[in-house]
Amino acid sequence: MTTTTQQHTASDLFAQALRYENRADPYPYFAQLCRRPVVPEENGTWLVSGYHEISRLLRDPRVSADRRRPEEEQPIRKSLLVEDAPRHDQLRHQVTEQFVPRIMGLRDHIDGLVTGLLDAHTSQRPGQLDVVGDLAYPLPVTLICELLGVPREDEPVFGSIARRLTRGLDPVETQTEDELRELREARGELVQYLEGLIADRQAAPADDLLSGLMFGQGSDAPMDPIDLRVTLALLLIAGHETTVNLIANGTLALLRHPDLLARLRAEPDLVTPLVEEVLRYDPPVQMSGRSTLADIDLGGTTIPKGSRVRLLLAAGNRDPRRFSDPDRFLPDRPGNAHLGFGGGIHYCIGATLARTEAQVALTALARRLASPRLVAAPPPYRENAILRGPDRLLVSFDRLTPDPRSV
Amino acid sequence: MNASETPERIVVVGASLAGLRAAEALRDEGFTGELTLIGDEPHAPYDRPPLSKAVLSGWLTTDHTELPRVRDIAARWLLGTSATGLDLRARRVELADGRQVAYDRLLIATGTRARPWPQQQGGTLHGVHVLRTRDDADRLRTALAAGPGRVLVIGAGFTGGEVASVCRDLGLEVTVVHRGDAPLASALGGVVGRAATGWYRDAGVDLRLGTTVRALEGDARGRLRRALLSDGTVVEAEVALVAAGAMANTGWLAGFGLAADAHGVACDHTCRALADDGTPRADVFVAGDVARWPHPLYPGQLLRLDHWDNAVAQARTAAHNMTRPPHDHRAHRPLPAFWSNQFGVNLKCLGLPSLADQVVVTQGSLDEHRFVAAYGHRGRLIAAVAADSPRVLDGYASLIEAGAPFPPELNATDGPDRLLPLDAGFAHRPAPVPDRPTVPSIPPAPSLRSVPAGHE
């Protein structure tokens, strides 16, 4: 009987964590879930919220990244996010070979983009800035478009598609009929958009990632058109919907800790551990899914073969067995090996790029905003529970100064 | 002062990876007293793994191999001078230059050195190299850059393979002479060794297995010219690398009351050095390649690891225990882990394969240069080796630590339809392992089995 009670409780806690009313602060529910690090829901899905347990499953060869229920609609081709070895490894290698050289040495360019975005709002008088709409969203979108070779002016088209698709990542039981219909439409629109883009590039190759994947380089063969479309969709959405939350959540943490904001102004190097602490404390991707290929024993609890598993990264990041004072934002904490970028073979490909973008953006905000204050506490959040972050982040300031380095 | 009191003077003998990381950890642990580092090389602490790879290939010069400093350690550095003796009662280290350095706590981290070629068989010839230190690497790099007609590598272990691999990348002809039936076989067994044989041959290495070098011969000016092999053939070469394993740097401790011999310095699981009567010393600790200690995963023997990760972890544990009372001591029981890069293959290993009786490929395939091989001993998983799949291997760590059944039921998506365990193919059968951990007999006899040195 006890087991049944616990299962109810875990499912209830998880449902609470997903409720929109709790979007601004799901962490108390995660903290309660974390007391039972491995626990089944009534529907047979397992919730894993302990740091060490998540860490192990992310690296376990008995775990598949394919998290769909058998009754769910199967895609034509899996993206590398949900694909397993050996196909995952081939796709990942192809993407890495194209992606990594293109993001090396980008810091100055990112710095230029951030400067430009903030210059548009420079003011010697008190004013307001929406950190999401004015900086945290346009920065990664511009970058991912440049990298992939997607025209920036198409943003209204694919931006809307991306927003509707990411909502589709959330647990299906939390979505309305309208949202599910929108999701199907958005998938169709994305296929159409990307196929058009691929046809354009086929006719006129350029020096971008899309062309690189399409024609193959080095040891890699060209990617076939379906893989190309699926991969492109993944990168475009990942580039759209994750870094925005990292920058926004980082800004939020700074506004809530004025002492750290002051320190960051005085010690720019603080930004490196500070961004890592944002990734731990308030991660842009809150959870990930897996399924088990064999029975897996985790500290005495056995997850049976064939189970779906939710890895609650945001909960594991605040596991008191791994992090002391887990609910405090402490950039100086030693050994901050957070789960913000996942782990194992699916570790975030864009981690380096996302880190650089956030580091540059937060440094610039600290440098240029005089007396910034949060207008709404908490700010309004987006519907999304998994790719979670503020919808708007209005900040009032006394001045938004020109970049002191350019004077 | 008494061993339970707070130490005021700590001396670290050995200024390489373990010594430096221990010194940093001592400061992290709050030690504010006088800290002295003694090193026989003139160089500041440097990183050894790049020496056999990036340095030899010319990508990196040795002055760029200095180890990054994690924190300021405010230490007194005595470099370029070796320790020659130890007075346990007076708590003093004697140096080659006659100085004496007093300590309250001593850490021995003197590491190992390359086993040299016997002098009477040509070991003094110009062109005969070993590879362990920065200076060794500079000399070998210079010799390779001069474009010798052929390089002879003696021993196809990790170092031998890495050097042969770099030589082929540089376009040099290479002959590798190896006593065993396959490269890497003493560390990874015959099954993975046979795969490695393919890497050597595909890279165009002239690989002579089951063969030894009888003698190295030079010209009238003392320069290496040829090697006489056990099969009666002669290999013409101007450069030879002797990659015949490592020897513990313990000569300076002989006769001073510690359980130290050519195999290393024996210590307990908390890194306390053992006196020659087998009792742990409260004031002398050991870390890194020179340490031999009992590990609960490998009962019945003392383990010595030439692994980068182990040096760092053991240094930290030693530093913690040196500054704490015994009830607060931590045990050092890491899962052994090391890696190597050769012939375009990244090899990573967890556990100790050499103790295995069986091996099975669980992911990928041996022919594809990309695989994971799991090693079992009496039906338990004890080690795993990954070729070009380093991230995948992490998933085996907890299974090895838990002693999961072998062959492991993984159903990995890139695994075979059916697991086919093979004989692990180690030349010598593993010594029987008792069911329960036993206290090793002291003073340490030569190790029950010499646990093959892994690599970094």
Side-chain angles (χ1 to χ4, degrees), chain B residues 4 29 43 47 61 105 111 119 160 163 169 180 192 196 201 204 299 320 339 361 378 388 395 436 443:
Chain B
S4 63
E29 295 283 345
H43 311 292
D47 205 20
T61 53
R105 295 277 190 284
Q119 290 190 4
V163 173
D169 290 344
V192 173
R201 299 244 151 95
H320 176 89
W339 78 93
V361 173
R378 296 185 170 185
D388 272 355
R436 274 174 287 116

Side-chain angles (χ1 to χ4, degrees), chain B residues 30-351:
Chain B
F31 173 66
T32 53
E34 188 181 292
L35 180 57
T36 305
L37 271 86
I38 299 167
D40 62 346
E41 291 183 64
H43 311 292
Y46 57 89
D47 205 20
R48 295 186 200 274
L51 298 182
S52 55
K53 308 169 189 86
V55 168
L56 287 191
S57 65
W59 277 97
L60 202 65
T61 53
T62 49
D63 48 342
H64 286 97
T65 57
E66 207 167 293
L67 281 166
R69 302 296 173 85
V70 177
R71 58 165 297 150
D72 184 21
I73 55 172
R76 178 165 68 127
W77 293 84
L78 302 179
L79 295 179
T81 180
S82 52
T84 51
L86 174 64
D87 186 334
L88 285 174
R89 273 183 38 170
R91 290 184 166 161
R92 274 197 311 258
V93 175
E94 289 154 23
L95 302 187
D97 58 15
R99 277 184 291 181
Q100 298 194 325
V101 187
Y103 65 82
D104 299 321
R105 295 277 190 284
L106 173 67
L107 179 67
I108 297 170
T110 42
T112 60
R113 64 189 184 283
R115 186 184 301 280
W117 192 251
Q119 290 190 4
Q120 63 276 20
Q121 289 167 33
T124 55
L125 291 169
H126 184 75
V128 179
H129 295 259
V130 292
L131 181 51
R132 177 71 192 170
T133 66
R134 246 183 90 156
D135 295 343
D136 291 340
D138 280 329
R139 281 188 289 264
L140 184 56
R141 167 63 195 162
T142 304
L144 297 182
R150 178 169 293 274
V151 178
L152 172 69
V153 175
I154 304 173
F158 290 103
T159 304
E162 290 180 5
V163 173
S165 169
V166 169
C167 287
R168 291 304 298 143
D169 290 344
L170 294 171
L172 300 172
E173 297 297 327
V174 186
T175 295
V176 177
V177 177
H178 186 61
R179 183 190 298 269
D181 294 339
L184 302 175
S186 63
L188 303 184
V191 174
V192 173
R194 274 192 292 283
T197 303
W199 310 338
Y200 275 69
R201 299 244 151 95
D202 291 348
V205 172
D206 170 29
L207 177 62
R208 313 282 187 93
L209 296 171
T211 308
T212 55
V213 174
R214 285 246 170 82
L216 299 174
E217 289 187 352
D219 61 16
R221 295 169 58 191
R223 293 175 307 191
L224 175 69
R225 279 294 167 262
R226 70 194 69 81
L228 312 181
L229 307 189
S230 58
D231 61 4
T233 59
V234 174
V235 174
E236 307 282 335
E238 296 111 272
V239 175
L241 172 75
V242 180
M247 300 154 73
N249 288 324
T250 50
W252 67 286
L253 292 169
F256 293 115
L258 290 181
D261 61 16
H263 299 283
V265 184
C267 59
D268 71 4
H269 59 295
T270 65
C271 311
R272 294 182 299 179
L274 302 186
D276 51 16
D277 64 359
T279 55
R281 297 280 314 186
D283 54 353
V284 182
F285 291 74
V286 194
D289 294 5
V290 78
R292 297 176 71 214
W293 82 105
H295 190 301
L297 277 179
Y298 310 102
Q301 63 185 310
L302 295 180
L303 201 60
R304 191 178 72 72
L305 299 174
D306 291 20
H307 301 163
W308 197 97
D309 295 34
N310 182 64
V312 173
Q314 202 166 17
R316 289 197 183 125
T317 305
H320 176 89
N321 296 348
M322 288 171 87
T323 52
R324 305 293 172 108
H327 70 265
D328 201 13
H329 280 187
R330 287 201 301 241
H332 177 61
R333 48 178 172 221
L335 186 62
F338 66 89
W339 78 93
S340 171
N341 287 300
Q342 44 186 295
F343 304 109
V345 180
N346 168 283
L347 275 175
K348 196 175 165 193
C349 179
L350 291 176

Side-chain angles (χ1 to χ4, degrees), chain A residues 56 59 61-62 84-86 89 92 293-294 305 344-345 347, chain B residues 363 370 391-392 394-396 398-399 409-414:
Chain A
R56 276 181 54 182
R59 293 163 177 82
R62 298 168 296 179
D84 294 314
D89 302 353
R92 173 130 180 160
L293 301 167
K305 175 178 175 174
I345 65 169
Y347 184 85
Chain B
Q363 294 181 257
R370 190 179 175 83
R391 285 198 169 160
V392 172
D394 296 339
Y396 289 74
S398 52
L399 295 173
E409 192 200 335
L410 304 174
N411 303 326
T413 51
D414 56 345

